Amino acid sequence: NAGVTQTPKFRVLKTGQSMTLLCAQDMNHEYMYWYRQDPGMGLRLIHYSVGEGTTAKGEVPDGYNVSRLKKQNFLLGLESAAPSQTSVYFCASSYGLAVLAKNIQYFGAGTRLSVL
Amino acid sequence: LAKTTQPVSMDSYEGQEVNITCSHNNIATNDYITWYQQFPSQGPRFIIQGYKTKVTNEVASLFIPADRKSSTLSLPRVSLSDTAVYYCLVGVSGNTPLVFGKGTRLSVIA
């Protein structure tokens, strides 16, 4: 059981470069999320999606874009990377409105991104 | 969204029972209380969820008083491998994602 898979695991970018982080889940979850976590901090929600083709902004959306073209995939894009975006990025998924599951989130292993 | 307050950090010796309390004074009627655990360099993982009274699983117990304005995560006989950050979240399944605070950093000492 793969669960939630994030690629790549590590990446180093130069300021101004662009990249896309991929999140894939095989649990048929409706909801997917992108978080960032800075040293000593909790998780902050960047964007989330409540279904295929839909996305919404979280707490810290500036500088990021997302797409959910397929139910199992959620992409996070950085169009012009900045040093302030150096962080660990986590993707998560959940059943969403399924009452029995109570919206429990399942997380990937994270992507460590450094922007120089 | 119900705001939660939990201690920033706690220390414990191996073999002790650890109780982490989370305050959520404005919890709504339909809100569930969920706890996650995050080890260093890993994503958070679900450990327990409850609505009222007591819930127990193979990892922890969750105590929720009748007024539901707080909850206590209990970890029996902790070991070094329980060193992690523990997050308390309050909310319901629905369109609004739950908010992770900074959590409680538990350090277990030999």
Side-chain angles (χ1 to χ4, degrees), chain B residues 23-101:
Chain B
S23 297
H24 28 80
N25 291 322
N26 59 340
I27 188 169
T29 301
N30 295 330
D31 286 345
Y32 282 81
I33 301 157
T34 309
W35 285 80
Y36 288 82
Q37 174 189 55
Q38 185 179 25
F39 296 116
S41 301
Q42 293 186 27
R45 69 164 187 155
F46 167 83
I47 49 174
I48 200 165
Q49 184 181 72
Y51 182 80
K52 61 181 179 181
T53 63
K54 176 183 175 182
V55 179
T56 298
N57 61 22
E58 65 279 5
V59 176
S61 294
L62 179 60
F63 298 91
I64 305 169
D67 66 6
R68 304 198 329 121
K69 293 184 183 298
S70 66
S71 59
T72 299
L73 175 73
S74 181
L75 304 172
R77 298 180 296 281
V78 294
S79 64
L80 295 176
S81 62
D82 292 314
T83 292
V85 178
Y86 294 83
Y87 297 95
C88 166
L89 282 76
V90 175
V92 296
S93 60
N95 286 344
T96 304
L98 304 183
V99 175
F100 283 81

Side-chain angles (χ1 to χ4, degrees), chain A residues 10-108:
Chain A
F10 304 93
R11 186 71 186 267
V12 178
L13 290 178
K14 294 181 179 178
T15 298
Q17 286 185 319
S18 63
M19 77 162 296
T20 300
L21 282 66
L22 172 63
C23 177
Q25 53 95 3
D26 62 1
M27 297 173 282
N28 201 32
H29 284 169
E30 289 294 331
Y31 287 18
M32 295 187 75
Y33 316 80
W34 275 107
Y35 294 89
R36 63 176 287 174
Q37 186 172 39
D38 300 313
M41 302 290 289
L43 286 84
R44 291 185 292 170
L45 183 65
I46 304 171
H47 287 280
Y48 64 101
S49 168
V50 300
E52 182 179 321
T54 69
T55 63
K57 294 180 180 180
E59 303 170 71
V60 289
D62 294 342
Y64 305 95
N65 56 75
V66 289
S67 64
R68 183 100 181 269
L69 299 180
K70 294 183 179 181
K71 185 176 183 179
Q72 64 268 32
N73 295 336
F74 195 28
L75 279 63
L76 177 71
L78 286 73
E79 291 186 349
S80 180
S84 60
Q85 294 178 304
T86 293
S87 189
V88 180
Y89 292 85
F90 289 103
C91 175
S93 68
S94 69
Y95 286 105
L97 292 176
V99 176
L100 291 177
K102 307 293 189 305
N103 206 24
I104 294 167
Q105 295 186 37
Y106 297 82
F107 284 80

